[in-house]
Amino acid sequence: METFLESKESKRDFYRKVIKIGTPMALTQLMTSLLSLVDTIMVKNLGDNAVAAVGISVSFMFLLIMVQFGFFSGLAIFVAQFWGSKDIKNMHKVFVITVFIGAILSTFFFLVGHFFPDTIISIYNNGSDLASKAEVLDLGVRYLKIAAFSYFTMTITFTLSMYMRSVERVMYPQIVSISVVVLNTFLNYILIFGNYGFPKMGVEGAAIATLISSFIGSLFLIGYFIKSKSEVFKIKFSVYKEITRDFVKKLLDKSLPVALNEAIWGLGMTAYVIAYGFISPASVASAHITNQIMGLFWAFNAGLSGASAIMLGNKLGEGNLQIAKSWGIRFIKILSIAGILLGVLLFALSDSIAQFFTNISSGGTNEVANNVGLILRIFAFYIPIKFINAYNIIGSLRSGGDTKFALFAEIGPLWIIGVPLAFILSLSTDLPLYIIIAIVNIEEIFKFALLVPRFFTFKWVKNLTN
């Protein structure tokens, strides 16, 4: 039996890189989640129909984010491994391809969101209360027509940040993320409620605030690339002339399954929102708010899983396969402990968090706040499993190009178990929302049963740069 004793220097290198890469990435995720949560908290004063309208609009944007994340993180596999082998020219080729794909995706989603917002909102807006449906449709259309412009700046930010993280330049994107959250919060305050002499614009003010802050954030990142003296960031777009069909085919072979993975997963999350829309706008608002809160707890996982993709990819690109294998196991242990601790914390804080969302439901029932507290308790039990599943899908398996199995393990349980259950239970039963969500999330257990054994086969331990 093959044995491998990792040196103390390698272990120190592991924890040094986790802190250097993982901490800024976790904070970036935290800031991104705070940005969405700030919108929700401020819009909540306009009522649950306004929260539902913004939540539906964000769900459409979330689908774009997932498709882009799929393509970009799939291509980032190669950026990380080329960075490990110091192949700058091929890194630039991957970047150019990423920009091209991002431009196509953002343009498509903009055209749909800006010119057909009523169609998008109507897909999700299925409650039986006609007055609420009409208000949600009106508010959602007004928000989405403006927010759709932010898809371009969001894509720029996403592209540049992903590239910078793959080469371990993670601090600057974090500073930009913090700045965007602060600016967005301030703009929300003055535009939603009409403070400091500005007109009171409601949900349209929230959309404008998102657009302006996103635009400024993208400018800061573009400026970094322009001013940087590092060869890594001196992208010459003329390199596209050297991109061969075989090169593109190699990239797509690994990145397309990742893109399909995230796109179909994003569609699954969208399907959940549609299913819950058949219950009531308050259910949509509850699910939206809960997802925003979970994003805060998800930040730790995002930092470690994102760092693992980069760190493992670098080691695989260097040809240090045994170290990559050892580091992969260590990530499993850390995330297991973190998942349990954060699950306990979430359960303990669930009622306190829910109190922020009282008095937004119609009729003074506090339906949304009650739902939020109960759903958070359900998620508290699932957090350890969700952490390990996410790590294997976006970290270990993806870092070595084992993307086809990750695709199968992700979308199989989601679409065979989760989505059908969501629609059946929402349409055919009178079960409360938190019970439906508890049952639907059983699909995470099936993912866990597929992904953990696959990890320990170590079929993902591959150098893709050869």
Side-chain angles (χ1 to χ4, degrees), residues 126-138:
N126 299 301
S128 58
D129 187 330
L130 296 181
S132 292
K133 285 181 65 175
E135 185 179 7
V136 169
L137 178 61
D138 175 60

Side-chain angles (χ1 to χ4, degrees), residues 6-22 304 307-308 311-312 315 323-335 391:
E6 187 182 359
S7 67
K8 290 183 179 180
E9 182 180 353
S10 173
K11 292 179 181 178
R12 285 195 298 267
D13 186 40
F14 172 85
Y15 290 108
R16 185 166 58 246
K17 286 182 179 292
V18 165
I19 295 171
K20 178 183 176 182
I21 302 173
L304 282 176
S308 72
M311 292 167 59
L312 299 178
K315 288 302 174 185
I323 290 180
K325 187 184 298 185
S326 176
W327 284 11
I329 295 172
R330 189 169 294 131
F331 273 116
I332 285 270
K333 295 176 181 178
I334 293 173
L335 282 162
Y391 160 68

Side-chain angles (χ1 to χ4, degrees), residues 205-226:
I208 293 172
T210 298
L211 175 59
I212 294 174
S213 57
S214 175
F215 174 72
I216 293 177
S218 66
L219 289 182
F220 276 116
L221 289 172
I222 292 172
Y224 184 93
F225 272 65
I226 293 174

Side-chain angles (χ1 to χ4, degrees), residues 28 37-38 126 132 205 241 257 334 392 413 417 422 430 443:
T28 298
L37 190 58
V38 163
N126 299 301
S132 292
K241 298 177 182 178
I334 293 173
N392 280 311
I417 300 170
D430 294 323
E443 53 110 353

Side-chain angles (χ1 to χ4, degrees), residues 392-465:
N392 280 311
I393 290 171
I394 68 178
S396 61
L397 269 60
R398 191 169 292 179
S399 69
D402 193 12
T403 53
K404 292 178 181 177
F405 185 88
L407 170 64
F408 162 74
E410 176 80 280
I411 69 173
L414 173 63
W415 283 94
I416 295 174
I417 300 170
V419 172
L421 280 175
F423 278 94
I424 291 170
L425 296 174
S426 296
L427 289 168
S428 305
T429 74
D430 294 323
L431 289 172
L433 179 63
Y434 76 96
I435 294 294
I436 293 176
I437 289 177
I439 296 172
V440 164
N441 273 270
I442 290 173
E443 53 110 353
E444 292 286 350
I445 298 173
F446 285 86
K447 286 182 191 177
F448 186 85
L450 291 170
L451 290 166
V452 172
R454 182 68 173 192
F455 171 87
F456 284 105
T457 65
F458 298 111
K459 292 183 178 180
W460 55 272
V461 182
K462 294 178 182 177
N463 185 335
L464 303 177
T465 64

Side-chain angles (χ1 to χ4, degrees), residues 281-331:
S283 295
V284 175
S286 302
H288 173 64
I289 290 171
T290 307
N291 287 335
Q292 305 308 312
I293 295 168
M294 286 302 298
L296 304 180
F297 285 82
W298 200 253
F300 189 88
N301 177 270
L304 282 176
S305 295
S308 72
I310 295 169
M311 292 167 59
L312 299 178
N314 290 163
K315 288 302 174 185
L316 293 172
E318 293 171 3
N320 293 322
L321 306 188
Q322 289 291 353
I323 290 180
K325 187 184 298 185
S326 176
W327 284 11
I329 295 172
R330 189 169 294 131
F331 273 116

Side-chain angles (χ1 to χ4, degrees), residues 155-369:
T155 299
I156 293 171
T157 300
F158 208 176
T159 303
L160 301 184
S161 296
M162 186 74 75
Y163 184 84
M164 292 177 71
R165 290 166 185 159
S166 296
V167 299
E168 302 180 37
R169 301 290 180 88
V170 292
M171 186 56 67
Y172 189 78
Q174 168 57 26
I175 295 173
V176 172
S177 295
I178 295 174
S179 303
V180 167
V181 170
V182 172
L183 177 61
N184 182 258
T185 302
F186 174 71
L187 292 175
N188 272 328
Y189 179 70
I190 65 175
L191 296 178
I192 293 176
F193 307 112
N195 292 304
Y196 297 117
F198 284 83
K200 184 178 180 180
M201 304 179 69
V203 294
E204 291 169 301
I208 293 172
T210 298
L211 175 59
I212 294 174
S213 57
S214 175
F215 174 72
I216 293 177
S218 66
L219 289 182
F220 276 116
L221 289 172
I222 292 172
Y224 184 93
F225 272 65
I226 293 174
K227 292 184 178 181
S228 176
K229 297 180 181 180
S230 172
E231 183 185 3
V232 174
F233 300 108
K234 295 297 182 183
I235 312 292
K236 296 180 180 179
F237 282 85
S238 59
V239 77
Y240 81 89
K241 298 177 182 178
E242 302 179 38
I243 298 175
T244 64
R245 181 176 298 179
D246 287 341
F247 185 80
V248 174
K249 182 180 178 181
K250 179 181 179 181
L251 264 60
L252 291 181
D253 182 59
K254 299 299 181 185
S255 63
L256 191 56
V258 179
L260 288 172
N261 185 333
E262 300 300 337
I264 298 174
W265 183 81
L267 282 171
M269 298 301 104
T270 298
Y272 285 155
V273 177
I274 295 172
Y276 303 147
F278 284 103
I279 303 174
S280 68
S283 295
V284 175
S286 302
H288 173 64
I289 290 171
T290 307
N291 287 335
Q292 305 308 312
I293 295 168
M294 286 302 298
L296 304 180
F297 285 82
W298 200 253
F300 189 88
N301 177 270
L304 282 176
S305 295
S308 72
I310 295 169
M311 292 167 59
L312 299 178
N314 290 163
K315 288 302 174 185
L316 293 172
E318 293 171 3
N320 293 322
L321 306 188
Q322 289 291 353
I323 290 180
K325 187 184 298 185
S326 176
W327 284 11
I329 295 172
R330 189 169 294 131
F331 273 116
I332 285 270
K333 295 176 181 178
I334 293 173
L335 282 162
S336 297
I337 296 171
I340 294 171
L341 294 177
L342 287 175
V344 172
L345 179 62
L346 177 60
F347 189 89
L349 294 178
S350 57
D351 285 340
S352 299
I353 295 172
Q355 294 305 309
F356 284 99
F357 304 96
T358 55
N359 302 320
I360 71 172
S361 298
S362 57
T365 61
N366 283 335
E367 179 183 355
V368 171

